[in-house]
Amino acid sequence: MDIFNGLLLGFSTATTLSNFAYCFAGVLLGTAVGVLPGLGPIATISMLLPFTFGLPVDTALIMLAGIFYGSQYGGSTTAILMNLPGEASSVVTTLDGHQMAKQGKAGRALAAAAIGSFFAGTVGTLFIVIAAPLLASLALTFGPAEYFSLIMLGLITSMVLTSGSLLTAFGMALFGITLGMIGTDINTGAARYTFGSPYLLDGLDFVVVATGIFGLGDVLMNLENERLRVVGVAPVSSLFPTAEDWRRMSAPILRGTGIGVLLGVLPGAGVLLASFSAYALEKKISKHPEQFGKGAIEGVAAPEAANNAAAQTCFIPMLTLGLPGTATMALMIGALVVQGVQPGPEILSQQPALFWGLVVSMWLGNLMLLFLNLPLVGMWAKLISVPYHFLFPTICVFMAIGVYSINNSVFDVYMMALFGVLGYFFKRMGAEPAPLILAMILGPMAEEYLRRTLLISHGDASVFFTSPLSLGTLVVAALLLLSIVSPRFRKVREEGLQEVD
Amino acid sequence: MKLSQDVLLGLFFVVFGVVSVSVAMSYPFGTSGRMGPGYFPVIISSLLVLTGLLVLFRSKFVQPEILPAIRWKPLLLIPGAVVIFGLAVETLGLPLAILLLTVLTAATSIKFHIGWKAVAGSLAFAALCSVVFIELLGLPIPIVGSWLRVLGF
């Protein structure tokens, strides 16, 4: 199917009344939950997941994508107005965005973020339209060795790009792989780590673990310093960027978009890397680097554009290879599997309406966000100031109902409670859970492809180095690991990834 | 050895790793060309033990961060409330399970006090959620649980 027909199909899928309505509902709900302080995209998606269960698969995916953009965007609003990043990639937005808000320029910062995000979203979607079919047809030629190497690259990037030490991240990833091995071994049918429990035969539900660790764990963490959580919300001023603002932010938006589009495809943590690199680049080429961190509009526009462009293009490996690049995409895969869809290169040829409908609705969702956010920003600012003691019981109820209704299983509810405590423990021990989450999905895939590769080669591991594509991927992964040893990169990583909490 | 972040995390990795290695040893290992169910788990969990040991080793060189005091009340009460929700959702039904979860979690807040507003608010919230999730979204969760049905509700 050529691109033009694909887009036509996509438009006809995305603009049916119900798909359009659910896209809107997703964007609206996602923003509403995403602006709440302390709720990043992962917690938001897992909380809102039950809203999609009763829907047909294309509608569900469109709504989920809407929730994802909405929550990501809502996070920027909180970052600017309250100096609270909902997730690591909005940390950069707080640097200059909140400074602008303090100087009474909150409206202009929000406008820069919204305009930058919309432009980047549009370019990102176009990039998916062109690149995804190419990559999907390339992916059909991939053997198990290539897949295995790509998975290794994803795991290593996620470890390198997380805050805290590499060793800790490595341990977290191994722990995640172990959790992923629970259940029936697909090759031999043997039950592994089930301890005789029938509930564990299908393995731990990934969504349950993510909800526990990111949702409940964050609630426990926030209650720790409940007294400290009283934070002021900056008042929102005029939303219109001045002519000077336009002049200063247009080039950064273009550059940020370019960085984001390219880095988003990288498996591992492309979104995070994109916003940090875009910020670093602007600071480096600016004639006034001293203004950065003190309210430079370039420092809001560029990373927000990069962030959003990467949030679009990180769908590419998920949809065309079935490999999640970020913890959020891993959650999307979890949601798709609940719906009975296995993402991978066949999705384009076998479910073109699903693929193209999603792509078109991404652009529509971004358009909606632009119109939702700017005029309604006052409403979101009010929502931010809902006190936490009203918020967290509601969050707990939504998560409990959501987790229960995935499999109608009370066991899953208990597991969520357990992983909530574990999530709290990890945070307290300075261990970022993102590699764990990604490894839980990627680990079993890695085992599967490793087995297949070595079965074909009769146990000879040299195939990973004789296929040029596999070799290239492994070299990139090795370079990434080496780069962390270099003192210069290490310094940048430590400065960049410090969590401003 | 002083308790620090690294010590606790290292111990966690080691203990978890040792348990999973010993379980994995009981599965057939196989060969590289034909891996048994134990092959991958043994490798991964041995690496986990090793990583845990390295984290423990590292703790000797890093200035231990002072662990802040833990607020036990939310840490015990919130997961406890979630477990109670799990016990109640099929036996008492969704509205009552929500009510229990709301009240018990809210009780962990330093702002918590019981008044008519709080009671009315949590009742209304439980009713609203039940309507949204069961009636509007059609999730198959009982409104009246199995125990109450036995009693004739």
Side-chain angles (χ1 to χ4, degrees):
Chain A
M1 182 180 294
D2 61 64
I3 289 172
F4 183 72
N5 284 327
L7 281 176
L8 271 183
L9 177 66
F11 263 103
S12 64
T13 312
T15 51
T16 62
L17 187 63
S18 85
N19 281 354
F20 192 77
Y22 278 106
C23 179
F24 182 75
V27 168
L28 189 70
L29 277 172
T31 314
V33 179
V35 291
L36 300 175
L39 281 173
I42 296 180
T44 307
I45 293 178
S46 51
M47 247 178 83
L48 297 177
L49 208 52
F51 287 97
T52 66
F53 283 161
L55 303 174
V57 61
D58 53 339
T59 316
L61 188 58
I62 285 173
M63 183 172 176
L64 274 169
I67 293 173
F68 172 52
Y69 301 132
S71 64
Q72 189 123 28
Y73 193 83
S76 324
T77 309
T78 323
I80 291 172
L81 293 182
M82 283 181 95
N83 204 20
L84 280 177
E87 53 155 354
S89 60
S90 352
V91 171
V92 206
T93 311
T94 61
L95 300 176
D96 282 280
H98 190 63
Q99 285 304 319
M100 284 182 75
K102 272 188 172 165
Q103 296 159 13
K105 294 189 275 190
R108 282 153 64 190
L110 289 167
I115 295 162
S117 295
F118 174 68
F119 177 78
T122 308
V123 176
T125 312
L126 278 174
F127 187 76
I128 295 183
V129 166
I130 297 162
L134 290 176
L135 193 60
S137 54
L138 181 67
L140 289 171
T141 69
F142 283 8
E146 284 80 12
Y147 264 104
F148 179 80
S149 304
L150 270 172
I151 293 168
M152 285 301 119
L153 176 64
L155 280 172
I156 288 173
T157 341
S158 80
M159 288 186 254
V160 171
L161 288 176
T162 193
S163 63
S165 87
L166 185 65
L167 187 64
T168 307
F170 188 55
M172 294 296 278
L174 289 169
F175 178 62
I177 298 177
T178 312
L179 290 179
M181 290 188 299
I182 296 175
T184 310
D185 171 25
I186 37 171
N187 284 52
T188 61
R192 295 194 296 195
Y193 298 115
T194 56
F195 302 100
S197 157
Y199 297 111
L200 289 174
L201 278 179
D202 286 339
L204 282 175
D205 198 302
F206 167 76
V207 182
V208 174
V209 175
T211 312
I213 288 185
F214 285 97
L216 204 60
D218 280 1
V219 168
L220 292 173
M221 205 59 201
N222 289 337
L223 284 172
E224 186 99 300
N225 340 304
E226 204 189 343
R227 264 173 242 276
L228 301 176
R229 287 192 58 85
V230 194
V231 191
V233 181
V236 180
S237 51
S238 159
L239 285 164
F240 288 101
T242 60
E244 166 77 2
D245 287 344
W246 279 109
R247 196 186 59 71
R248 282 179 60 180
M249 73 189 189
S250 29
I253 286 179
L254 281 175
R255 285 190 288 263
T257 303
I259 291 175
V261 163
L262 294 179
L263 291 182
V265 192
L266 190 75
V271 183
L272 184 62
L273 189 62
S275 53
F276 281 107
S277 322
Y279 188 82
L281 178 72
E282 289 309 319
K283 194 170 171 180
K284 196 164 189 178
I285 62 175
S286 165
K287 284 186 193 121
H288 305 281
E290 73 283 353
Q291 290 178 358
F292 278 76
K294 295 186 184 119
I297 197 164
E298 297 93 330
V300 182
E304 277 296 314
N307 192 347
N308 209 44
Q312 303 282 338
T313 55
C314 72
F315 273 89
I316 295 178
M318 192 274 253
L319 286 171
T320 60
L321 302 172
L323 297 179
T326 61
T328 325
M329 282 302 118
L331 197 61
M332 293 290 255
I333 289 193
L336 276 174
V337 173
V338 172
Q339 291 274 0
V341 179
Q342 190 65 49
E346 294 87 10
I347 212 169
L348 247 145
S349 49
Q350 283 172 11
Q351 293 181 294
L354 180 71
F355 176 82
W356 291 103
L358 176 69
V359 170
V360 171
S361 74
M362 285 175 173
W363 184 74
L364 286 177
N366 274 290
L367 189 67
M368 288 174 193
L369 272 176
L370 188 66
F371 284 106
L372 260 180
N373 277 287
L374 292 180
L376 293 182
V377 71
M379 190 177 97
W380 304 127
K382 275 214 180 63
L383 201 59
I384 293 180
S385 22
V386 172
Y388 199 64
H389 60 272
F390 289 132
L391 219 53
F392 76 85
T394 319
I395 297 171
C396 291
V397 167
F398 272 45
M399 289 189 309
I401 297 175
V403 160
Y404 172 77
S405 49
I406 298 171
N407 302 311
N408 282 318
S409 150
V410 176
F411 180 77
D412 284 349
V413 177
Y414 303 146
M415 281 294 127
M416 179 184 85
L418 176 72
F419 280 99
V421 178
L422 260 183
Y424 167 85
F425 168 76
F426 286 139
K427 283 253 161 154
R428 286 294 297 263
M429 296 311 126
E432 243 329 288
L436 181 161
I437 293 296
L438 210 53
M440 202 181 147
I441 288 259
L442 290 178
M445 290 180 169
E447 180 183 14
E448 170 77 16
Y449 289 117
L450 181 67
R451 265 184 176 166
R452 274 198 225 164
T453 314
L454 294 182
L455 189 66
I456 298 167
S457 74
H458 304 288
D460 178 11
S462 68
V463 278
F464 292 111
F465 308 103
T466 47
S467 143
L469 198 68
S470 164
L471 179 68
T473 317
L474 288 175
V475 167
V476 174
L479 285 178
L480 260 172
L481 268 182
L482 280 179
S483 70
I484 205 168
V485 189
S486 104
R488 185 152 164 246
F489 180 78
R490 213 175 183 156
K491 196 166 153 266
V492 174
R493 176 175 177 269
E494 271 159 22
E495 281 171 5
L497 297 175
Q498 259 171 7
E499 277 223 69
V500 188
D501 224 1
Chain B
M1 195 152 43
K2 279 219 184 86
L3 277 188
S4 69
Q5 286 186 329
D6 272 356
V7 173
L8 284 172
L9 193 68
L11 281 176
F12 176 82
F13 286 157
V14 170
V15 170
F16 196 89
V18 166
V19 172
S20 47
V21 174
S22 51
V23 175
M25 294 292 239
S26 67
Y27 306 136
F29 192 75
T31 62
S32 294
R34 203 166 272 282
M35 290 182 200
Y39 192 97
F40 201 64
V42 167
I43 295 176
I44 295 295
S45 34
S46 313
L47 281 173
L48 186 58
V49 176
L50 190 71
T51 312
L53 290 174
L54 284 174
V55 173
L56 280 175
F57 182 66
R58 180 177 70 181
S59 71
K60 293 212 179 302
F61 302 100
V62 183
Q63 196 68 19
E65 273 190 52
I66 301 156
L67 291 172
I70 293 176
R71 250 190 94 200
W72 286 103
K73 200 172 155 192
L75 189 59
L76 295 173
L77 206 54
I78 295 218
V82 171
V83 170
I84 289 174
F85 173 88
L87 291 171
V89 68
E90 284 171 2
T91 51
L92 298 176
L94 187 65
L96 284 177
I98 293 177
L99 192 66
L100 280 170
L101 182 56
T102 314
V103 173
L104 286 173
T105 49
T108 58
S109 170
I110 44 177
K111 296 259 168 73
F112 181 71
H113 59 270
I114 296 180
W116 70 268
K117 270 188 189 165
V119 174
S122 40
L123 281 174
F125 180 63
L128 182 74
C129 280
S130 307
V131 170
V132 168
F133 284 103
I134 298 177
E135 297 297 322
L136 294 180
L137 294 172
L139 298 183
I141 312 178
I143 294 188
V144 178
S146 52
W147 289 359
L148 298 179
R149 259 175 277 159
V150 171
L151 294 173
F153 281 94

